[in-house]
Amino acid sequence: MEDKREIKAKKSQKKQVHLFYCVECEELARKVAAQSDLITLQSINWRNFADGWPNLYINSAHDIRGQHVAFLASFSSPGVIFEQISVIYALPRLFVASFTLVLPFFPTGSFERMEEEGDVATAFTMARILSNIPTSRGGPTSLVIYDIHALQERFYFSDHVLPLFETGIPLLKQRLHQLPDANNIVIAFPDDGAWKRFHKMLDHFPTVREGDKRIVRIKEGNPAGCHVVIVDDLVQSGGTLIECQKVLAAHGAAKVSAYVTHGVFPKGSWERFTLKNGENMENAFANFWITDSCPLTVKAIANKAPFEVLSLAGSIADALQI
């Protein structure tokens, strides 16, 4: 057994983290802080001058000197990025011991296809902006991102930041094991990209892969009579998931559910997945799991079936101790 000195030494190695957050992330920030006594919430006054430009004030600026500091960001639209970048650039310069930026959803580049001269890689631009965050007294900024859309984007960051690429898949696995039909689960991947990204994390489940032409190809197991869960990193309009559901149902799936880490759902496209009066249950999703990486979506789908939010709070709290 460990003696008291060893236990005390381990506790002393833990960091007391001061967590700032943007307006959209307040609920998630409170959940993160609830995970550990080592995380203290701090606040920022998010105001605007009469001309619309940000008028920002970091509270407790003197108190965080020599402390470990983190910022929880949400780049949900171009309009909110500038004010957050202003704070992100300011915090490391307040003589803090270390600085961590938690950006659960890296939004740029999800639609980008660099196919001809003249296409602009905005994901690379965003990576360059984040790569130039000032160095704190403790060294480069740690950058926490969940399930970045294009795997090559992880190489866009320079050596001035330390990217930590996390995933929401453990949350899904935990939830699936809680289901009454946990022994009847089959995982479906809508394309080769999703399969390459996630199949090793879910290799103890039978799987179904769907090709570019939406033809189901059985890799392991059989969807007939099973509860099939489609897994991808993000959803936009949801058209791909709906087509996948139709194909799987046609091949005899008893139920079809979906999981994405990032429920982007622009223009309220999540409404396509809610069951309307008189709608055929065969065309419905039994469950639709998302994380709280996109706070605006979480508010929009609250208490609306078939949606369920799997919170990243515990995972973020753990990442802040790395």
Side-chain angles (χ1 to χ4, degrees):
M1 293 181 61
E2 296 178 311
D3 61 29
K4 291 182 179 180
R5 286 176 298 178
E6 290 176 330
I7 295 174
K8 186 176 181 179
K10 286 188 175 181
K11 286 184 177 180
S12 66
Q13 293 172 3
K14 295 286 188 178
K15 296 187 293 185
Q16 182 72 44
V17 179
H18 295 262
L19 178 61
F20 292 85
Y21 53 90
C22 68
V23 175
E24 288 179 18
C25 286
E26 181 174 358
E27 182 178 351
L28 177 55
R30 294 190 181 281
K31 289 181 179 179
V32 173
Q35 300 291 316
S36 172
D37 294 336
L38 296 170
I39 300 174
T40 303
L41 287 185
Q42 301 290 354
S43 63
I44 294 168
N45 294 341
W46 302 93
R47 303 165 299 189
N48 293 93
F49 292 110
D51 59 2
W53 284 92
N55 176 16
L56 309 171
Y57 183 80
I58 299 172
N59 296 300
S60 306
H62 284 84
D63 297 337
I64 61 174
R65 289 179 176 178
Q67 303 296 313
H68 300 287
V69 171
F71 181 79
L72 180 57
S74 175
F75 292 176
S76 58
S77 69
V80 301
I81 293 177
F82 178 76
E83 63 181 14
Q84 292 183 65
I85 288 292
S86 299
V87 170
I88 290 166
Y89 273 44
L91 284 170
R93 299 175 65 89
L94 294 176
F95 298 95
V96 300
S98 70
F99 180 62
T100 300
L101 171 60
V102 182
L103 181 63
F105 175 44
F106 185 80
T108 52
S110 59
F111 280 121
E112 291 180 351
R113 299 292 182 271
M114 308 309 297
E115 296 176 343
E116 60 180 311
E117 193 70 26
D119 287 336
V120 177
T122 61
F124 182 60
T125 303
M126 180 57 68
R128 291 176 70 184
I129 292 172
L130 297 178
S131 294
N132 281 284
I133 297 172
T135 301
S136 69
R137 294 179 71 180
T141 293
S142 299
L143 173 60
V144 182
I145 297 175
Y146 284 82
D147 291 318
I148 197 165
H149 179 62
L151 295 180
Q152 68 269 21
E153 290 174 358
R154 65 180 60 202
F155 302 109
Y156 290 176
F157 299 92
S158 78
D159 293 339
H160 297 295
V161 294
L162 300 174
L164 175 63
F165 297 102
E166 295 283 19
T167 178
I169 293 298
L171 299 174
L172 172 64
K173 293 167 69 173
Q174 182 181 37
R175 186 67 184 94
L176 293 182
H177 286 305
Q178 295 170 349
L179 296 178
D181 57 354
N183 294 326
N184 196 36
I185 297 292
V186 169
I187 302 297
F189 299 107
D191 51 42
D192 285 341
W195 180 82
K196 290 176 182 177
R197 174 191 297 270
F198 296 126
H199 82 278
K200 290 184 179 179
M201 305 180 209
L202 296 162
D203 59 1
H204 59 290
F205 290 101
T207 60
V208 172
R209 290 175 63 182
E210 301 195 52
D212 293 336
K213 297 181 180 179
R214 299 289 169 254
I215 299 173
V216 175
R217 301 193 303 271
I218 306 301
K219 184 175 184 292
E220 297 178 54
N222 188 333
C226 295
H227 181 181
V228 183
V229 180
I230 305 169
V231 176
D232 210 347
D233 65 311
L234 62 81
V235 58
Q236 295 269 3
S237 69
T240 298
L241 293 178
I242 289 173
E243 290 304 311
C244 290
Q245 189 276 339
K246 292 177 181 178
V247 171
L248 291 165
H251 280 73
K255 291 192 294 184
V256 178
S257 296
Y259 165 85
V260 296
T261 301
H262 310 298
V264 184
F265 290 122
K267 300 179 180 179
S269 56
W270 56 266
E271 293 182 352
R272 302 176 68 180
F273 295 90
T274 57
L275 190 61
K276 308 296 191 301
N277 291 334
E279 185 176 354
N280 189 345
M281 285 295 293
E282 292 182 359
N283 296 326
F285 281 77
N287 307 277
F288 201 126
W289 295 290
I290 65 172
T291 75
D292 40 8
S293 67
C294 299
L296 297 182
T297 297
V298 171
K299 291 182 179 179
I301 57 90
N303 302 315
K304 293 182 174 64
F307 292 101
E308 179 182 345
V309 178
L310 308 179
S311 182
L312 294 170
S315 178
I316 292 173
D318 291 341
L320 293 179
Q321 289 299 325
I322 295 176

